[in-house]
Amino acid sequence: GENVEQHPSTLSVQEGDSAVIKCTYSDSASNYFPWYKQELGKRPQLIIDIRSNVGEKKDQRIAVTLNKTAKHFSLHITETQPEDSAVYFCAARNTNQAGTALIFGKGTTLSVSS
Amino acid sequence: GAGVSQSPSNKVTEKGKDVELRCDPISGHTALYWYRQSLGQGLEFLIYFQGNSAPDKSGLPSDRFSAERTGGSVSTLTIQRTQQEDSAVYLCASSRGGDSRNYEQYFGPGTRLTVT
């Protein structure tokens, strides 16, 4: 089955700096890669996702890149703000195979200090 | 509309007792997932239901864990003979599934299970 590794486990940045979180996956058939944000005491929520037919996707200060050959994908947050502080989870799934689950990485705790 | 709901929100049980956790997915969502989140840990996949297909049980940590989904809607996660290491937040999520191209998972608030 799919295995997702996520690094780093913790990341501390100054407000205004950029933050990058990296994930690798094991199943070359995976084609859907979402990122979820979980604020303290709240449930995870989808912030951005990318499918394997594109290499990059951007939404305001957030961007994701995908390298299918190397089987890794990254989340980039620019101009970080204190409200970006949260745990971020990457995930991977093969949507072409019925019954396959979305598998998450172990998460990255991002702390943005002002 | 209503989001994913879970009950109870908190459950304290004695070691060795059985517990049942309930999840009500968003109406019309055919995919339902159970995850376990230990303190400061990631989202550990437990089980996945998609429509009438056989569930993917590959994440269940032991045979003390089981789950059902009746009528393609409500799901119950049962933990038998609970152990202290079962203490965690159990999260349920649902998504449209099927032929939908929208794979976003909507999470419930979780059930915090404490085994004493």
Side-chain angles (χ1 to χ4, degrees):
Chain A
E2 178 64 272
N3 182 52
V4 178
E5 300 283 340
Q6 183 171 348
H7 300 281
S9 56
T10 60
L11 180 59
S12 297
V13 299
Q14 291 285 322
E15 182 178 2
D17 288 350
S18 295
V20 180
I21 302 171
K22 299 180 179 181
C23 289
T24 60
Y25 59 99
S26 62
D27 186 354
S28 57
S30 288
N31 62 345
Y32 174 64
F33 308 93
W35 287 85
Y36 282 76
K37 176 183 180 182
Q38 185 177 28
E39 298 178 359
L40 189 62
K42 297 188 177 180
R43 67 193 78 180
Q45 290 190 308
L46 179 70
I47 55 171
I48 195 168
D49 58 16
I50 191 168
R51 288 167 170 78
S52 59
N53 57 344
V54 298
E56 183 174 358
K57 183 176 179 180
K58 192 171 183 180
D59 182 4
Q60 300 182 346
R61 297 185 297 108
I62 294 174
V64 290
T65 58
L66 171 65
N67 183 327
K68 288 187 292 183
T69 302
K71 291 190 287 188
H72 66 68
F73 56 112
S74 301
L75 177 70
H76 305 251
I77 306 175
T78 59
E79 300 171 27
T80 53
Q81 301 168 2
E83 51 265 37
D84 294 330
S85 296
V87 180
Y88 291 81
F89 295 98
C90 63
R93 183 187 172 206
N94 175 6
T95 64
N96 291 321
Q97 185 174 353
T100 57
L102 185 67
I103 302 299
F104 286 86
K106 292 190 180 300
T108 296
T109 301
L110 174 65
S111 300
V112 181
S113 54
S114 55
Chain B
V4 178
S5 61
Q6 292 184 244
S7 61
S9 55
N10 281 283
K11 176 71 177 178
V12 180
T13 190
E14 291 181 352
K15 177 182 174 181
K17 301 278 186 162
D18 297 353
V19 294
E20 281 190 355
L21 312 179
R22 177 187 168 107
C23 171
D24 284 86
I26 293 173
S27 178
H29 281 192
T30 61
L32 187 148
Y33 299 78
W34 282 98
Y35 295 93
R36 179 169 68 176
Q37 189 170 34
S38 302
L39 187 63
Q41 297 299 306
L43 295 163
E44 178 187 3
F45 165 71
L46 297 177
I47 189 168
Y48 164 50
F49 296 91
Q50 172 55 61
N52 296 321
S53 302
D56 177 356
K57 304 180 182 180
S58 61
L60 295 178
S62 77
D63 58 9
R64 296 187 295 106
F65 288 72
S66 63
E68 291 184 341
R69 190 177 184 194
T70 54
S73 181
V74 172
S75 178
T76 303
L77 177 69
T78 301
I79 308 173
Q80 296 178 309
R81 305 181 301 281
T82 53
Q83 304 293 313
Q84 288 186 329
E85 58 263 29
D86 299 336
S87 297
V89 175
Y90 289 82
L91 287 164
C92 173
S94 71
S95 67
R96 293 188 187 277
D99 295 332
S100 168
R101 293 282 294 169
N102 183 345
Y103 306 116
E104 179 174 358
Q105 290 190 1
Y106 296 83
F107 283 82
T111 293
R112 181 175 298 278
L113 174 66
T114 303
V115 182
T116 61

